Amino acid sequence: IAGITQAPTSQILAAGRRMTLRCTQDMRHNAMYWYRQDLGLGLRLIHYSNTAGTTGKGEVPDGYSVSRANTDDFPLTLASAVPSQTSVYFCASSDGLPAEQFFGPGTRLTVL
Amino acid sequence: GENVEQHPSTLSVQEGDSAVIKCTYSDSASNYFPWYKQELGKRPQLIIDIRSNVGEKKDQRIAVTLNKTAKHFSLHITETQPEDSAVYFCAATMNRDDKIIFGKGTRLHILP
């Protein structure tokens, strides 16, 4: 692994299903973030974690949960997916704040 | 609330001319203001950033200015080239640098 990775690359999901998007970084960054990107709405922060064991709510946290059991991994879970959660999801990490954020390649999620 | 406003949403400039994108932020305690570039189908990448103790920063053809009193900052691209065509996002830290919020983005078109 080099940098920050996300899985899956894309997913089509039926409404009501549970889904976990995975994010892993090998840069030993303390801080990690989840954003969703929708046309015309930019990058909206869902949840973030400034260090392992802590998480915080961003601009649009409803319907999503996160955990940060260790430094490297920051999974995002949709407990019961809805069509409005159709989006491109980006994970990012940084060596604390304020500092450059490094983004993963993104996950394109479609909820039908 | 915590927000970052970005204007314009779309900008077209002739190749060789200058482009300016402007952002305002709500949190007077914000200390860090990065700019990200996102090419079509790719992840956002940092192009320049500025901290609150500096009024201006330049890196080759790009520069950022910050006015803390007015709570606004701007990106300036001079001698624009075709490869400058992309979506540009401004951002600012919020909640005492606890998290970072992005503007909605500016789609820049460089016209031949």
Side-chain angles (χ1 to χ4, degrees):
Chain A
I1 297 177
I4 183 166
T5 60
Q6 293 182 235
T9 301
S10 64
Q11 181 75 44
I12 299 174
L13 190 66
R17 297 296 296 268
R18 180 183 180 90
M19 176 74 191
T20 295
L21 307 185
R22 300 184 297 279
C23 176
T24 300
Q25 53 101 1
D26 66 354
M27 297 176 283
R28 308 304 294 172
H29 284 168
N30 288 328
M32 297 187 74
Y33 317 85
W34 274 105
Y35 295 91
R36 58 177 290 174
Q37 184 171 34
D38 304 290
L39 193 63
L41 295 175
L43 291 158
R44 292 185 291 170
L45 182 64
I46 305 171
H47 286 287
Y48 64 99
S49 169
N50 287 332
T51 190
T54 68
T55 62
K57 293 183 179 181
E59 300 169 270
V60 289
D62 294 344
Y64 305 95
S65 64
V66 292
S67 61
R68 187 87 183 278
N70 58 61
T71 297
D72 298 345
D73 302 298
F74 191 42
L76 176 74
T77 297
L78 289 67
S80 179
V82 295
S84 62
Q85 292 177 312
T86 294
S87 188
V88 178
Y89 291 86
F90 284 101
C91 179
S93 72
S94 69
D95 189 11
L97 254 186
E100 177 179 2
Q101 289 187 316
F102 294 86
F103 284 81
T107 293
R108 183 173 296 276
L109 181 67
T110 302
V111 183
L112 301 176
Chain B
E2 303 167 332
N3 76 302
V4 176
E5 299 282 343
Q6 182 171 348
H7 300 280
S9 57
T10 306
L11 178 62
S12 297
V13 300
Q14 211 69 39
E15 182 179 347
D17 287 350
S18 295
V20 180
I21 303 170
K22 300 181 179 181
C23 289
T24 59
Y25 59 96
S26 59
D27 187 348
S28 57
S30 296
N31 284 318
Y32 176 66
F33 308 90
W35 287 87
Y36 285 80
K37 176 182 180 181
Q38 186 179 26
E39 297 177 351
L40 191 62
K42 297 189 176 181
R43 70 191 81 182
Q45 290 190 298
L46 181 76
I47 55 171
I48 195 167
D49 57 14
I50 191 167
R51 296 174 192 267
S52 60
N53 58 346
V54 176
E56 184 173 358
K57 183 177 179 181
K58 190 173 182 180
D59 182 3
Q60 299 183 340
R61 295 186 299 107
I62 60 174
V64 58
T65 58
L66 171 65
N67 183 329
K68 283 221 76 179
T69 302
K71 292 192 285 186
H72 68 71
F73 57 114
S74 302
L75 177 72
H76 304 253
I77 306 174
T78 58
E79 301 171 18
T80 53
Q81 300 171 2
E83 54 266 36
D84 295 330
S85 291
V87 178
Y88 292 81
F89 293 98
C90 64
T93 51
M94 298 284 169
N95 194 25
R96 300 184 184 280
D97 291 348
D98 189 47
K99 57 187 174 183
I100 193 161
I101 301 296
F102 283 77
K104 290 183 170 49
T106 296
R107 185 172 296 277
L108 176 63
H109 299 277
I110 305 301
L111 306 172

